[in-house]
Amino acid sequence: MAAKSPLQTLIEIAERDTDEAAKTLGKAIRAHEDTLSKLNLLLQYRDDYDAKFRDASARGINISQYGNFMSFLAKLDSAVDGQKLVVKDAERKIEMAKMNWQANEKKRLSYNTLDKRAASIRQAKESKRDQKQTDDFAARTYFYKQ
């Protein structure tokens, strides 16, 4: 088995780093989806509670009930605002993970390009050596035939 070149080692490390970055990006995307789901649940709950408040108001409520509805709606609004911040943070994490993945992928592609160039140069040298051997053989054959 031929020894691994340093470039091949770098390619393997870059591939491993790229895979890890892709996994991190996937986790960030799933976390973002979870935060959006929670936000949508909160918004739905707030809308339902607001509808309940309007129905109760139409039937008539006292000042204490009104205060309770308003207090709870304010708490729901606060929870919605907090969840919106969580969603923004999750979006920021996606962007960071995406940039990390892109940087790793760029590095991996660069190493692969260098490896292909090196292989192409090796192939050209081998072809040149093979051609020289063929030419030498032909020259010797010609020389000895005379």
Side-chain angles (χ1 to χ4, degrees), residues 104-121:
N104 281 295
E105 181 66 4
K106 183 177 179 182
K107 186 187 306 182
R108 185 189 69 77
L109 291 172
S110 295
Y111 290 152
N112 280 335
T113 300
L114 289 173
D115 189 45
K116 286 177 184 174
R117 272 191 210 142
S120 178
I121 290 169

Side-chain angles (χ1 to χ4, degrees), residues 14-138:
E15 286 172 348
R16 191 172 37 239
D17 290 348
T18 300
D19 289 346
E20 283 301 313
K23 288 176 188 174
T24 301
L25 178 57
K27 287 177 187 175
I29 290 170
R30 282 188 297 283
H32 178 256
E33 289 169 353
D34 288 345
T35 63
L36 281 177
S37 177
K38 289 176 184 175
L39 176 60
N40 288 332
L41 268 169
L42 276 171
L43 288 169
Q44 182 62 48
Y45 186 66
R46 197 239 181 258
D47 288 346
D48 292 347
Y49 196 78
D50 188 48
K52 184 178 175 181
F53 166 67
R54 280 185 264 122
D55 288 345
S57 294
R59 284 184 270 124
I61 56 173
N62 64 34
I63 194 75
S64 173
Q65 290 170 321
Y66 178 82
N68 288 339
F69 272 112
M70 288 292 110
S71 174
F72 194 66
L73 280 172
K75 288 178 184 177
L76 284 174
D77 287 339
S78 177
V80 166
D81 290 342
Q83 190 62 27
K84 285 179 181 178
L85 291 175
V86 172
V87 168
K88 285 229 181 277
D89 185 55
E91 289 169 351
R92 184 185 55 77
K93 287 179 181 176
I94 285 175
E95 283 305 311
M96 289 173 39
K98 188 185 292 184
M99 287 175 17
N100 184 41
W101 175 79
Q102 288 171 334
N104 281 295
E105 181 66 4
K106 183 177 179 182
K107 186 187 306 182
R108 185 189 69 77
L109 291 172
S110 295
Y111 290 152
N112 280 335
T113 300
L114 289 173
D115 189 45
K116 286 177 184 174
R117 272 191 210 142
S120 178
I121 290 169
R122 279 192 306 274
Q123 182 65 37
K125 284 181 181 178
E126 286 176 22
S127 293
K128 191 173 183 179
R129 187 190 68 229
D130 290 347
Q131 184 62 46
K132 185 177 180 327
Q133 286 176 344
T134 302
D135 291 348
D136 288 348
F137 179 75

